[in-house]
Amino acid sequence: MTTDSFIPGRIQSTRVGMDAAAIRQSILEHLVHTQSRFPDLATDSDWYNALAYAVRDRMLERMMVTAKTYKAHKSRTVCYLSAEFLPGPHLANNILALGIWQEVQDAVAQLGLDFESLLEEEVEPGLGNGGLGRLAACYMDSMATLKIPAIGYGIRYEFGIFRQKIEDGWQVEKTDKWLSFGNPWEILRPRLRFKVHFGGRTEQHQDSAGRLRVKWVPERRVIGVAYDTPVMGYGVTNTNLLRLWRSEAAESFDFQAFNTGDYYGAVNEKVISENLTKVLYPNDEPEAGKRLRLEQQYFFVSCSLQDMVRIYLQSGEPLAHFHHKYTVQLNDTHPAVAIPELMRLLVDQNKLDWDTAWHVTRNTFAYTNHTLLPEALEKWPLDLFQKVLPRHLEIIYEINQRFLDEVRMKIHGLNGQISKLSIIEEGARQQVRMAHLAVVGSYQVNGVAELHSEFLRENVLPEFHALWPDKITNVTNGVTPRRFMLLSNQPLAHLLREHIGCDWVTDLDELRKLEALADDPAFQLQWRQVKRRNKERLARHALMAAGQKLDPDSLMDVQVKRIHEYKRQHLNLLHIITLYNRLKDNPALAVTPRTFVFGGKAAPGYFMAKLIIKAINSVAEVINRDPDMEGRLRVVFFPNFNVKTAHCIYPGADVSEQISLAGKEASGTGNMKFAMGGALTIGTLDGANIEIRQEVGADNFFLFGMTEAEVVALQQQGYRPRDYCQNDPELKMALDFLASGYFSHGDPALFRPLVDNLLDSDPYKVLADYRSYVDCQTRIGECYRDQTLWTRMSILNVARMGKFSSDRSIREYAGNIWKVDPVSIQDG
């Protein structure tokens, strides 16, 4: 029998048939033969897994055809290195991508099952903190849909981002056991394993040709094992690969230790090694977690690069051409240690000379910067780096020395610039600047919004921009319309299909056709009916998740994102308190009924962010039990905000809160997801807000606050937040109420740190922007009462969101940075 007999397209159609009967049979077979369950005794969880395996079967044959085609064509491939991936629930998304939504529903109904109940059984993989991981998932979706050969590489955290519970108004972190019941979407590759070393020392010697060589003598090693998840494009056969790494002990059981009675020592190595990929550490990790985080980063990039070298060597091509086959995108600085690791693999392991290896490395990597906050520009203490990766520190020293020698020739006599460019930061505790390493070791650097990229060039990395004027470019972020419109907002998707067809799913500029309908009364009515359905769904979810009854007729004002001072949830809260005070002082005041919705997680060690969560819940407790606020004002905090929760929150929002201080948000993607669902944005000129406003039109965007230039000027002239408090009676009253114990059962000390922080330093200029924000909110309330105007604005927002598809972002990466061409896969 020839190997052609096993080409996936030739597998009998009963296993991968696309009609309802074949799918039904496949579900039953997986229930019995994979789950080992009788249909009469099967739970919803059992049926979910059986359905998931049935769907996966239909993806795997496409993944195999895709891999075979890429190999045959020697396709240039994107390797997307990200410490975080937040794919969200897989099942519904994959059913849509396969184009078998109705067939699956019919098959499930024939089995007497409820489709929605099965979807709810899926546990979301929490493999990231927020926007960074979700962006990586959006880009994987778009690369597959656009037929771009790609592999996503990351970490298979056993426990993901913590599960958030709210107890007495406080965030409480619980373990996210997302793998407790297995993961039907992944394929274990037990033979695909690589050794990863840590610690120890280096030794120098001369090889037979008299060349200096370095040998790393590590202190310990672990094994990285691959788990593959197929990522299918929408409406195409192309199915790319997400490969995540789990750590194992090199030797899981020490018989010598066991035989001498050291039972703990016999399994100690296994425990230590497997801890490496045990848990996702939040961004604001404590000092104790820094070593583990560095080890995690190195572990996954080492496994990934070794895998890439393995695949490449199968071609028989010399490693000096490695960069012709692969382009590696560094998703922020977390994978930047890949630069010295590739140098180590090329120079130490494969004996390339330094200059050749450096040419390969500098033409392999591209780097995306995702932050403007100085504390988020990753740095590692030199002593820690030395202990964990001694050989890599030597390579970084060599890279830095050669780079600075090059700089000295270019900027002769300007030695003051050298320290600003150096990869090594001097000071009481020397540090490795990972952003500098990423810039020096990459052929292209990009920001993620026009303002952000300009800020990188002028303020964050100006010395590098002066050195290499063409190196820093911009690719504005985008999000996938498949998940955030077609899947999560099906009422809207059906309405769009009736009026403008379905081409918008893969060409979001098609939404422009909605402009012609913006003033059509009949279409406006249908639009409001869609929004009403989505708000009712949001209200049902709020009742289940937070025990709060919401009014779908009220204006849904939503801020869901990571809790951080720069995102200014406390500015939103001050407005709520102000509105509450107005209503208490003047019960006859005519206001638009409002529901304020919050959601998001604070890093476990971030006291001020956790206090903001407590303040939101405390204010909500008072307002929601005040009979004077019934039908007028309500506040709810959604616990454990994630992709699954976002599916019902984004479409149900009327107002999208994007209120970070200008110059602090790199881009944001929540702003795009809200706007795609018809929510109107209240925001500052920050991140991608600027471009959203340009696209949708200034008349359809609620702008407030200082510009980035005005923020800088205010800081330079000396910012005195107490002056704003004293000069604004409503602001003073709101702060006084928060500090008095009114919202804390009479305890004036509880929120004192939050109030004092605002009055004494206010690093994110909450008080300076307060008046502009509150007045803008008043305009929103007035505008909402004119439903014809509001609906028109909502329609135009959606109509003009084409730019913010992740497909557009990936086309720009592929054409301008990666130089990668699409490869079509023939089905069967």
Side-chain angles (χ1 to χ4, degrees), residues 150 191 194 254 260 311 319 342 450 562 617 665 681 792:
R191 296 184 182 276
F194 297 102
D254 187 340
T260 58
I311 297 170
L319 276 171
L342 182 56
E450 289 177 0
R562 182 164 54 95
N617 283 299
E665 186 75 81
T681 305
R792 180 180 190 277

Side-chain angles (χ1 to χ4, degrees), residues 542-560:
L543 188 60
M544 290 186 296
Q548 291 291 333
K549 187 176 181 181
L550 307 186
D551 178 8
D553 289 322
S554 66
L555 188 158
M556 295 286 187
D557 188 320
V558 186
Q559 187 176 19
V560 288

Side-chain angles (χ1 to χ4, degrees), residues 32-309:
V32 175
H33 300 298
T34 305
Q35 299 285 97
S36 187
R37 298 291 288 174
F38 291 113
D40 291 346
L41 300 177
T43 66
D44 278 353
S45 179
D46 296 325
W47 285 111
Y48 157 74
N49 277 290
L51 174 57
Y53 282 119
V55 172
R56 194 188 77 171
D57 283 347
R58 288 148 178 81
M59 299 173 69
L60 289 184
E61 69 153 353
R62 297 177 180 223
M63 187 174 76
M64 293 170 66
V65 172
T66 300
K68 183 177 180 180
T69 304
Y70 289 167
K71 183 177 181 180
H73 285 73
K74 296 184 178 181
S75 305
R76 180 163 166 80
T77 301
V78 178
C79 293
Y80 200 84
L81 296 190
S82 180
E84 302 180 17
F85 283 93
L86 275 177
H90 291 285
L91 179 57
N93 198 65
N94 289 336
I95 293 171
L96 277 177
L98 285 164
I100 54 173
W101 189 266
Q102 189 59 53
E103 291 80 359
V104 169
Q105 283 192 314
D106 291 345
V108 168
Q110 290 169 19
L111 292 167
L113 303 170
D114 181 69
F115 183 51
E116 291 298 326
S117 296
L118 296 189
L119 294 180
E120 282 301 311
E121 284 296 313
E122 184 166 8
V123 178
E124 178 176 334
L127 304 178
N129 279 294
L132 185 77
R134 184 52 236 170
L135 182 78
C138 283
Y139 282 178
M140 290 298 297
D141 173 278
S142 284
M143 283 187 277
T145 299
L146 295 175
K147 307 179 182 180
I148 302 296
I151 304 173
Y153 282 112
I155 302 175
R156 183 184 180 268
Y157 302 101
E158 183 177 342
F159 304 114
I161 181 66
F162 62 87
R163 184 167 50 88
Q164 182 194 56
K165 292 192 70 177
I166 302 298
E167 296 181 1
D168 189 30
W170 290 98
Q171 170 180 291
V172 176
E173 299 91 24
K174 301 291 184 179
T175 305
D176 174 34
K177 301 177 182 179
W178 73 282
L179 287 170
S180 292
F181 300 105
N183 177 12
W185 302 104
E186 66 184 9
I187 304 103
L188 168 63
R189 305 293 194 190
R191 296 184 182 276
L192 192 54
R193 51 205 301 120
F194 297 102
K195 297 175 183 177
V196 181
H197 298 123
F198 298 100
R201 67 186 190 280
T202 61
E203 296 176 352
Q204 295 186 352
H205 65 279
Q206 287 188 331
D207 64 15
S208 57
R211 291 169 295 195
L212 181 66
R213 295 294 181 187
V214 178
K215 179 182 179 182
W216 182 11
V217 183
E219 177 183 40
R220 66 187 180 94
R221 69 179 183 181
V222 301
I223 303 296
V225 182
Y227 286 75
D228 290 349
T229 301
V231 179
M232 188 174 174
Y234 178 84
V236 297
T237 302
N238 294 62
T239 304
N240 288 335
L241 181 66
L242 173 61
R243 178 161 286 168
L244 304 179
W245 302 100
R246 180 176 69 86
S247 60
E248 285 186 358
E251 185 65 53
S252 61
F253 191 81
D254 187 340
F255 272 102
Q256 185 175 356
F258 179 80
N259 289 332
T260 58
D262 184 4
Y263 306 123
Y264 173 78
V267 296
N268 189 44
E269 179 63 25
K270 175 179 173 64
V271 172
I272 292 173
S273 297
E274 292 183 357
N275 279 345
L276 194 59
T277 55
K278 208 76 171 174
V279 65
L280 167 71
Y281 268 71
N283 287 333
D284 302 279
E285 74 269 13
E287 182 70 25
K290 287 187 181 296
R291 176 166 184 153
L292 175 57
R293 191 57 173 155
L294 176 58
E295 290 181 349
Q296 285 182 333
Q297 292 178 6
Y298 174 64
F299 166 78
F300 101 84
V301 301
S302 179
C303 289
S304 304
L305 287 170
Q306 289 184 70
D307 189 43
M308 292 161 58
V309 170

Side-chain angles (χ1 to χ4, degrees), residues 413-521:
L414 299 177
N415 286 331
Q417 299 293 91
I418 298 299
S419 63
K420 295 179 181 179
L421 288 163
S422 176
I423 298 170
I424 306 300
E425 181 179 88
E426 302 298 332
R429 192 180 187 189
Q430 290 180 303
Q431 300 191 91
V432 182
R433 296 162 160 164
M434 300 307 285
H436 287 211
L437 175 63
V439 174
V440 172
S442 299
Y443 65 87
Q444 194 80 63
V445 178
N446 74 277
V448 291
E450 289 177 0
L451 175 66
H452 173 229
S453 298
E454 186 61 29
F455 208 83
L456 283 180
R457 287 186 283 260
E458 301 299 325
N459 299 89
V460 180
L461 301 168
E463 294 81 15
F464 286 101
H465 179 55
L467 188 66
W468 297 311
D470 298 325
K471 194 164 195 175
I472 302 175
T473 187
N474 177 66
V475 181
T476 298
N477 283 345
V479 301
T480 170
R482 269 76 63 184
R483 180 171 292 276
F484 293 106
M485 292 186 72
L486 183 62
L487 175 59
S488 64
N489 199 343
Q490 293 190 22
L492 179 59
H494 289 311
L495 180 64
L496 297 180
R497 181 179 61 189
E498 291 174 6
H499 289 273
I500 63 171
C502 298
D503 290 347
W504 60 270
V505 179
T506 52
D507 180 6
L508 209 59
D509 286 331
E510 285 286 303
L511 293 177
R512 283 276 180 180
K513 293 177 179 177
L514 291 173
E515 290 190 19
L517 299 168
D519 294 305
D520 183 330

